[in-house]
Amino acid sequence: MRLILLGPPGAGKGTQAKMLEEKFGIPQISTGDILRKAVGNDTPLGKKAKAYMGDGQLVPDEIVIELIKEKIKEDDCACGFILDGFPRTIVQAEKLSETLEEMKLDIDAVIDFEVDLNELTVRLTGRRSCLDCGAMFHDETRPPRKRGVCDHCGHELYQRPDDNKETILKRLEVYDNETAPLKDYYRKRGNLKTLEGRGSVDEIFSQVCALVS
Ligand code: AMP
């Protein structure tokens, strides 16, 4: 099964992607996590991406496209994958379609997470992430068992530098301008499925599973 999770920052894509990964045994591919790791390790990719990410801007298309092209050809993606945070522009979506066509594959479903804008700001400002495994928590709605420590791998949790009010507003603006048009792109291709992102994490997961089964 090959899925795309589409939605603004803070919509819950990462959390749901991890749950899907566990249930279906197919890997989550989060361009945000890959880029953050590269920035953390100060690799050449990280050096290129850092300033864009800090400003809430998108990293240039050619960088993320190359990254994804390599990733989806890896062995662990043979039975499928969950794209989380990619594509984010029409150019990225077109290149993905081209690459999949070359591989004689297609996307099974694009799940569009619809969440109210005010709700997104609250979610993002309280969010805590694990730099090691990418698991996500929230100060109020999803606290870890031990404050500041990841439930899954025991690593320290941190607040993403781009989860501050000013950068959040920029990221939401970028989403509206660059990424929201993908809804039409995939609607026309017939595989867009819209999810009302309300309810508990488990309730939303049931809705996601119903959409993909
Ligand atoms: P995320 O963790 O998905 O919210 O991504 C964090 C940041 O990484 C974004 O604000 C962008 O700067 C960058 N990024 C992640 N995915 C992409 C993408 N598909 N295209 C361009 N930039 C991306």
Side-chain angles (χ1 to χ4, degrees):
M1 180 162 51
R2 282 167 292 275
L3 302 175
I4 293 176
L5 306 191
L6 186 66
K13 304 184 300 295
T15 302
Q16 296 296 326
K18 293 226 170 298
M19 294 167 85
L20 285 165
E21 179 177 61
E22 207 171 305
K23 182 174 169 84
F24 294 105
I26 50 174
Q28 168 201 23
I29 304 177
S30 157
T31 37
D33 284 350
I34 297 170
L35 293 168
R36 265 185 297 283
K37 261 205 174 133
V39 171
N41 293 331
D42 205 23
T43 65
L45 171 67
K47 285 195 174 89
K48 282 188 209 155
K50 190 174 179 177
Y52 297 101
M53 295 174 78
D55 283 348
Q57 301 282 0
L58 294 183
V59 171
D61 283 336
E62 57 277 15
I63 297 180
V64 278
I65 288 166
E66 273 319 301
L67 210 151
I68 286 292
K69 271 184 166 176
E70 278 174 31
K71 223 39 207 160
I72 62 177
K73 288 176 184 159
E74 285 175 10
D75 289 348
D76 64 337
C77 290
C79 295
F81 49 75
I82 306 149
L83 291 178
D84 162 16
F86 183 95
R88 256 173 153 105
T89 64
I90 294 286
V91 172
Q92 291 179 20
E94 286 172 347
K95 290 289 173 197
L96 175 67
S97 301
E98 260 174 54
T99 306
L100 289 174
E101 265 163 41
E102 281 164 23
M103 296 168 74
K104 309 228 176 317
L105 298 174
D106 204 357
I107 292 294
D108 295 295
V110 179
I111 303 177
D112 171 34
F113 287 62
E114 292 284 331
V115 183
D116 175 73
L117 269 188
N118 292 328
E119 168 80 20
L120 289 174
T121 316
V122 173
R123 285 192 194 180
L124 288 166
T125 44
R127 186 159 81 164
R128 297 289 177 272
S129 325
C130 176
L131 186 57
D132 197 52
C133 75
M136 242 121 45
F137 299 87
H138 192 280
D139 282 347
E140 283 150 37
T141 55
R142 197 178 161 84
R145 283 192 292 271
K146 189 172 168 204
R147 200 183 154 83
V149 178
C150 178
D151 286 354
H152 306 286
C153 69
H155 230 83
E156 199 180 331
L157 297 180
Y158 83 118
Q159 181 171 34
R160 283 173 42 171
D162 57 350
D163 277 350
N164 65 74
K165 243 194 171 138
E166 193 190 336
T167 316
I168 288 169
L169 291 178
K170 181 75 216 164
R171 285 158 66 207
L172 293 174
E173 186 190 319
V174 168
Y175 176 80
D176 270 344
N177 294 336
E178 306 278 347
T179 311
L182 292 182
K183 290 185 218 175
D184 262 350
Y185 177 87
Y186 285 113
R187 196 176 286 118
K188 283 184 191 137
R189 294 176 73 98
N191 45 14
L192 189 80
K193 295 175 192 278
T194 301
L195 177 82
E196 281 286 333
R198 283 200 212 103
S200 69
V201 168
D202 290 333
E203 282 162 353
I204 294 173
F205 187 58
S206 302
Q207 294 169 32
V208 172
C209 290
L211 288 179
V212 300
S213 56

